[in-house]
Amino acid sequence: PGRSGEALNVIVIGGGQAGLAAGYHLRRAGLDFSILDAQPGPGGAWLHGWDSLRLFSPARHSSLPGWPMPRYPHAGYPTADHVVDYLAAYEKRYELPVERSTRVRSVRRVDGGYDIDGRFADAVISTTGTWWRPFIPAAARGLPGRQLHTAHYRNPRQLAGQRVVVVGGGNSGAQIAADLAGHVDLTWTTRRPPRYLPDEIDGEALFDIATRRPGGVGALGDIVAVPPVREARDRGLLNPQRMNRHTLAGADTVIWCTGFRPALDHLAPLGLRDRDGQVRGEPRSHLLGYGDWTGPASATLVGVGPTARAAVRTIADALGVTARR
Ligand code: FAD
């Protein structure tokens, strides 16, 4: 297949925080690029979380490259709205060319580059996140109650008067269980006893560990004891049970806080899976922000910058452009 029309150096697919961090470094490197984002406005997955969602890091440890996140003007850690405002302002500040309401369906290799739904670029960076592919295990099949996922949870009012089972011993499970405790008939089930990170580990220490310690934060525990979780735990409202079918079957609603998968359907034509089933980029097609497998802590605000920079350098080298170091 050949290419036609004007080709850009790079097309970035996804305009959440990872796409913007890529844009920042592409600008600095002097490459021409466009960012294509499926949503009508800025904010990525931060537009969709539950109402009480707070960052587990203070603003000063939640910054993208170049411009620190402004201080959160209220008590506690920043809300998702604060992040959305920051991302919107960041995009403006660096004049990042984001084309909205543009969902990429497929990326194909063509002579000397890539065809992205009929647009052409020498290289692609995919930053489509994971929120769009909630994972619910097979155990949910055939259960009589309503089966929700973290991605569908908003607030306790949505479930008033119900028997609710929250499944999952990670951060989402703990935070949603804490949010519901005292408001619904709650059971929190986990596969193994929940492992809280030591209370004194705040956002700063967390990201330090995530980026530097072998095994990352997971080596220390699974749950950041953010204030609402700590409070519910200390009041004895979080009493995890082992998951069993009987409990699940007795629920009006089960909320599966069982994680997300990378949203990579658009890359299927590239065949980036290796023999072990791992997805790997190539010098001119990069995956950014999906998890530690795409760079240490790259699925966090503060962690995505260094991986974005490395991806842009590799692309600049592959294209023979001297990127500013
Ligand atoms: P997203 O925010 O998902 O952005 C991807 C963008 O790509 C979206 O706008 C989407 O619409 C678009 N897109 C998807 N598919 C396509 C397509 N085919 N074509 C075009 N566009 C497409 N991180 C922290 O640093 N601190 C925290 O406190 C924190 N808390 C978190 C709490 C929760 C509940 C979750 C789930 C994550 C949290 N994270 C946190 C992790 C991470 O920062 C977020 O998940 C963040 O949204 C990831 O950004 P992203 O840019 O990689 O993906």
Side-chain angles (χ1 to χ4, degrees):
R3 56 196 274 177
S4 59
E6 279 296 294
L8 290 164
N9 291 136
V10 182
I11 286 182
V12 179
I13 306 167
Q17 66 199 36
L20 301 188
Y24 172 88
H25 284 295
L26 287 165
R27 241 275 177 276
R28 277 180 63 99
L31 294 169
D32 57 26
F33 65 99
S34 180
I35 302 175
L36 309 180
D37 187 60
Q39 299 196 95
W46 295 106
L47 293 165
H48 302 281
W50 59 92
D51 296 352
S52 70
L53 175 64
R54 295 286 181 121
L55 295 197
F56 39 71
S57 48
R60 67 180 187 286
H61 297 298
S62 306
S63 297
L64 293 177
W67 181 46
M69 179 184 278
R71 203 175 68 80
Y72 181 59
H74 309 287
Y77 287 175
T79 56
D81 285 351
H82 189 69
V83 184
V84 173
D85 291 347
Y86 171 56
L87 296 182
Y90 186 93
E91 185 179 317
K92 261 204 191 130
R93 184 185 180 99
Y94 295 111
E95 298 178 355
L96 299 177
V98 185
E99 199 176 310
R100 300 272 172 216
S101 304
T102 306
R103 172 174 299 283
V104 171
R105 307 279 167 198
S106 82
V107 178
R108 293 169 196 284
R109 279 188 204 88
V110 288
D111 226 3
Y114 297 90
D115 171 347
I116 296 115
D117 289 349
R119 301 162 195 248
F120 296 92
D122 302 318
V124 285
I125 303 180
S126 184
T127 66
T128 47
T130 59
W131 187 264
W132 328 97
R133 277 199 61 204
F135 171 72
I136 298 187
R141 278 196 216 122
L143 290 170
R146 189 157 64 129
Q147 310 300 310
L148 298 183
H149 182 271
T150 312
H152 313 122
Y153 175 69
R154 290 291 159 270
N155 57 53
R157 290 190 301 284
Q158 177 190 11
L159 304 167
Q162 296 192 15
R163 278 168 304 173
V164 179
V165 175
V166 172
V167 181
N171 281 299
S172 304
Q175 286 191 31
I176 290 177
D179 203 39
L180 287 169
H183 297 285
V184 301
D185 178 353
L186 173 71
T187 308
W188 181 30
T189 70
T190 60
R191 229 178 356 197
R192 58 178 190 200
R195 300 184 314 146
Y196 294 96
L197 286 152
D199 287 1
E200 66 277 9
I201 295 201
D202 62 4
E204 181 176 1
L206 187 69
F207 289 112
D208 208 37
I209 296 164
T211 43
R212 297 211 188 110
R213 192 186 169 101
V217 179
L220 277 186
D222 303 316
I223 300 168
V224 187
V226 292
V229 168
R230 199 181 309 172
E231 195 190 309
R233 181 198 63 191
D234 294 349
R235 286 173 58 204
L237 297 175
L238 296 181
N239 301 304
Q241 297 182 11
R242 274 184 79 86
M243 193 170 98
N244 70 70
R245 188 99 192 143
H246 180 73
T247 314
L248 294 173
D252 299 308
T253 300
V254 181
I255 307 178
W256 295 89
C257 302
T258 40
F260 297 84
R261 298 288 182 260
L264 297 177
D265 288 354
H266 57 294
L267 299 181
L270 296 183
L272 295 174
R273 274 182 204 286
D274 67 16
R275 265 192 292 170
D276 300 327
Q278 306 288 325
V279 181
R280 292 190 207 286
E282 39 193 29
R284 292 194 192 188
S285 76
H286 287 258
L287 298 133
L288 179 63
Y290 297 96
D292 286 345
W293 61 278
T294 55
S298 71
T300 64
L301 284 153
V302 75
V304 71
T307 312
R309 190 172 59 161
V312 170
R313 277 188 190 171
T314 311
I315 289 173
D317 287 347
L319 301 184
V321 179
T322 315
R324 224 186 299 158
R325 304 272 152 175

